[in-house]
Amino acid sequence: MSGSERTIPAPEPNPETKPFWDAAAEGKLLIKRCRACGEAHYYPRALCPHCFSAETAWQEAKGEGTIYSYSVVRRGAPVPYAIAYVTLAEGVTMMTNIVDCDLDRIRIGQRVRVVFKPSAGGPPVPMFTPV
Ligand SMILES: [Zn+2]
C-alpha cells in the first residue's frame, strides 16, 4: 500500500469540535449525546439537532458500525478511495472513508471499525475498515 496512500487534508478544529479532534489524537472516537432528549448526534454540535437543547455531552463511541451507503471515487483522484456513510453502534451516522481494504469488495451492511489516519499537518482523521 505504501506509495499509493492518499493525502488526507488536515481538519480545522474549531472551539465546538476541538475536544473531538483532541480525542482523535488519542485514538478515541467521540460523539455527542443530549442530556435533555437522550439522543446521540454526529457531527458534534453545541446544540442538539433533535431538540435544540444546549445540554449536550461528549461520549466515547465504541468505534464499531455498519456501512449504510458508499461510493468509490476513481475519477479525478490520484488514488481511488471510498467515501461512505457508516452507522455507529450508538445509532448516529457519520460521513467517512472506508480504508485498508479492497475497494471492490466493500458492501452495504458490512461491519466496520474505526481506524485513525494521519492528516497533512493536522489531527488524525477517523475512518473505517472492514472487520
Ligand atoms: Zn436533544
Side-chain angles (χ1 to χ4, degrees), residues 69-86:
S69 71
Y70 73 96
S71 178
V72 176
V73 180
R74 297 181 194 278
R75 270 183 207 203
V79 183
Y81 64 98
I83 190 162
Y85 283 100
V86 166

Side-chain angles (χ1 to χ4, degrees), residues 6-11 117-125:
R6 190 164 60 97
T7 301
I8 300 165
K117 292 294 180 182
S119 67
V125 177

Side-chain angles (χ1 to χ4, degrees), residues 4-122:
S4 64
E5 291 285 342
R6 190 164 60 97
T7 301
I8 300 165
E12 294 181 15
N14 61 39
E16 208 172 351
T17 60
K18 187 174 185 300
F20 176 86
W21 295 112
D22 287 349
E26 296 173 4
K28 294 176 184 171
L29 178 64
L30 296 189
I31 58 173
K32 279 193 126 180
R33 189 174 292 279
C34 175
R35 289 196 180 105
C37 73
E39 294 284 338
H41 69 263
Y42 182 90
Y43 59 93
R45 279 155 282 190
L47 294 183
C48 171
H50 304 286
C51 74
F52 305 107
S53 167
E55 295 294 310
T56 58
W58 294 100
Q59 174 189 342
E60 185 177 348
K62 275 191 280 188
E64 298 169 355
T66 55
I67 297 173
Y68 176 73
S69 71
Y70 73 96
S71 178
V72 176
V73 180
R74 297 181 194 278
R75 270 183 207 203
V79 183
Y81 64 98
I83 190 162
Y85 283 100
V86 166
T87 304
L88 297 183
E90 290 79 11
V92 298
T93 299
M94 304 176 54
M95 191 168 82
T96 184
N97 287 177
I98 307 300
V99 295
D100 300 339
C101 66
D102 181 347
L103 298 180
D104 294 323
R105 301 194 57 151
I106 297 172
R107 296 289 177 264
I108 287 170
Q110 201 166 13
R111 293 179 54 79
V112 291
R113 67 174 167 78
V114 72
V115 288
F116 288 87
K117 292 294 180 182
S119 67

